[in-house]
């Protein structure tokens, strides 16, 4: 699988391109990668660039989110970036199975596993939520797909591990590096 990006995404920063290259490199030997970038690091751009790469090769992509706002907002962003219609798999939205890129509610997909078709890539937004049985059922259904989990918080408060879901962890830049690079403003932390 080659990393080719042709879409209307904003220009990627070097740390974003580097992380994408590392993800594609991991996919040579592994199927499931979790990638970490802090808030403000551009996870949405990674999401868009990687989706565009697969879509430009004629491959099918399923993006998953756990909240309706994230599904609708994410589908809109992807559609703008990849210059092709994006389907929404969510109750209350018309199902368009012919579209190669689908953005879906986890709950809806798990209830329609027999009707959504096959996918070459599954991207999980807010991947720190994916330890539930609903995600596991989706992962078990699409065993041939590459899986990418994106998160800013790769540690769950309940201590649940991710090693049964992902083969490796790719860590992008830190918040301190983003501040030092001028991409984020410095902050002051106040504790009450």
């Amino acid at each position: 699988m080659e990393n080719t990006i042709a879409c209307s995404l904003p220009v990627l920063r070097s740390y974003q391109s580097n992380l994408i290259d590392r993800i594609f490199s991991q996919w040579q030997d592994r199927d499931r990668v979790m990638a970490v970038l802090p808030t403000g690091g551009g996870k949405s751009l990674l999401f868009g660039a990687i989706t565009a790469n697969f879509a430009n090769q004629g491959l099918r992509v399923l993006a998953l989110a756990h909240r309706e706002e994230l599904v609708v907002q994410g589908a809109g962003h992807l559609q703008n970036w990849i210059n092709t219609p994006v389907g929404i798999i969510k109750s209350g939205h018309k199902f368009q199975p012919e579209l190669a890129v689908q953005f879906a509610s986890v709950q809806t997909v798990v209830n329609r596993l027999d009707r959504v078709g096959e996918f070459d890539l599954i991207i999980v937004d807010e991947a720190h939520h994916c330890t539930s049985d609903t995600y596991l059922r989706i992962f078990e259904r699409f065993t041939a797909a590459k899986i990418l989990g994106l998160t800013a918080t790769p540690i769950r408060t309940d201590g649940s591990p991710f090693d049964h879901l992902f083969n490796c962890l790719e860590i992008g830049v830190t918040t301190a590096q983003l501040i030092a690079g001028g991409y984020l403003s410095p902050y002051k932390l106040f504790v009450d």
Side-chain angles (χ1 to χ4, degrees), residues 76-103:
H77 286 310
L78 276 182
Q79 187 161 305
N80 289 335
W81 289 335
I82 65 175
N83 295 318
T84 189
V86 172
I88 295 178
I89 302 174
K90 172 87 180 100
S91 140
H93 294 269
K94 180 183 176 192
F95 181 46
Q96 299 174 290
E98 72 281 2
L99 298 177
V101 178
Q102 301 282 335
F103 212 117

Side-chain angles (χ1 to χ4, degrees), residues 29-108:
D29 301 317
R30 297 171 176 85
D31 294 333
R32 300 177 179 188
V33 177
M34 178 180 266
V36 179
L37 267 180
T39 302
K43 285 180 295 300
S44 294
L45 291 177
L46 262 66
F47 206 114
I50 292 170
T51 298
N53 177 288
F54 275 73
N56 289 338
Q57 295 179 57
L59 301 173
R60 290 181 44 86
V61 178
L62 174 64
L64 297 171
H66 67 288
R67 290 197 336 248
E68 179 174 6
E69 312 83 59
L70 295 175
V71 172
V72 174
Q73 178 183 342
H77 286 310
L78 276 182
Q79 187 161 305
N80 289 335
W81 289 335
I82 65 175
N83 295 318
T84 189
V86 172
I88 295 178
I89 302 174
K90 172 87 180 100
S91 140
H93 294 269
K94 180 183 176 192
F95 181 46
Q96 299 174 290
E98 72 281 2
L99 298 177
V101 178
Q102 301 282 335
F103 212 117
S105 156
V106 173
Q107 296 81 4
T108 304

